[in-house]
Amino acid sequence: MTNTDVLVLGGTGRTGRRIVRRLHNRGIQTRVASRQGKNPWSWEDRSTWDTALHGASAAYVCYSPDLAFPGVAELIGEFAEQARKLGVNRLVLLSGRGEKGALVSERAVQDTVAEWTIIRSSWFAQNFSEHFLLGPVLRSRLVLPAGDVLEPFIDLDDLAEVASAALVEQGHAGAVYEVTGPRLLSMLDVADEISAATGRHIEYAPSTAEEFVADVALDGIPHQDARPLAELFESILDGRNASVTDDLERALGRPGTDFTEYARRVAALGIWSPRIKASA
């Protein structure tokens, strides 16, 4: 695709801002849709949809907190239909790996637009540095209902590269990519990796869902947001995703970033350095 105008939903978020940066580097005209900014966007306010979509040729679609939540598939279907009506016939949808509930949202896109790409992602490595698990790392104690399940954590920079390619290049239409990191790790392995990168001892504490909810409440994450996440973790952290794929390499022609490299990069930025409270 050339001379495209690409819409990135959640363009200031964790995946969106990385995609926007890559598209800008390619010289692609990009519009950032977010709750604040030049292109106001809200899933709940359908009046923002037409303005964001008008004139675009492709769009990156993500929904937070998760595609599998009740009512989301219908919302995604409505959006895909509106995109089609306005001539936006290429959609790249971020989905979750191993989430049966997300399949309905995927199908809503597949059944509506001419060109679609589904990116089913494993757990984000950046959950430990940019999201709800940063607080536990800073407290040196990962509290998660994950047992000893293995997961191939993916670096979001890799995921963003796949999404960017799918938005503007040929050869990705109709593809379902299950993107993973190159190695399986348990949460104990993750704690060891972050410990090695930071020089601090990070403990992994297997927990119940309620213990997880109580722990993240220390970071101001309310129960109504944390509880659905805990339930989602319990449902998918059962070993179903304990395998790596070559889909990322198939899409990009290179292997994914190892968790060790990610951890060293983040540690060098000081993100995992405990914050020192100022004296009263």
Side-chain angles (χ1 to χ4, degrees), residues 104-258:
V104 184
S105 293
E106 293 180 12
R107 181 57 61 187
V109 170
Q110 293 167 322
D111 288 346
T112 305
V113 297
E115 297 185 24
W116 52 263
T117 305
I118 307 297
I119 302 176
R120 293 177 184 158
S121 177
S122 55
W123 264 47
F124 301 163
Q126 277 77 3
N127 284 339
F128 299 97
S129 55
E130 299 178 19
H131 199 35
F132 62 97
L133 295 177
L134 173 58
V137 171
L138 293 175
R139 290 191 291 275
S140 301
R141 191 167 186 263
L142 289 176
V143 178
L144 273 170
D148 57 359
V149 170
L150 301 175
E151 177 72 19
F153 297 92
I154 187 168
D155 190 314
L156 280 183
D157 289 329
D158 290 342
L159 187 153
E161 192 171 335
V162 174
S164 301
L167 285 165
V168 299
E169 295 177 2
Q170 299 301 322
H172 301 284
V176 177
Y177 294 126
E178 283 202 5
V179 292
T180 73
R183 182 164 58 105
L184 290 169
L185 296 93
S186 67
M187 290 297 175
L188 180 59
D189 294 329
V190 167
D192 288 344
E193 290 279 353
I194 298 176
S195 295
T198 60
R200 298 166 45 220
H201 175 65
I202 309 298
E203 175 191 5
Y204 167 51
S207 75
T208 65
E210 289 304 326
E211 288 168 337
F212 164 79
V213 170
D215 186 69
V216 296
L218 297 174
D219 303 308
I221 299 176
H223 182 279
Q224 64 266 27
D225 293 336
R227 181 68 205 186
L229 282 173
E231 292 173 351
L232 178 64
F233 300 157
E234 288 187 315
S235 69
I236 65 174
L237 290 175
D238 59 2
R240 74 182 69 177
N241 292 331
S243 62
V244 300
T245 74
D246 63 355
D247 285 13
L248 188 146
E249 188 165 3
R250 179 162 59 90
L252 300 180
R254 65 164 179 81
T257 303
D258 189 79

Side-chain angles (χ1 to χ4, degrees), residues 31-51:
R31 61 182 69 174
V32 176
S34 61
R35 290 189 179 274
Q36 283 105 18
K38 184 178 179 181
N39 298 293
W41 168 266
S42 169
W43 279 107
E44 295 75 26
D45 184 359
R46 289 162 177 76
S47 68
T48 65
W49 294 10
D50 284 9
T51 301

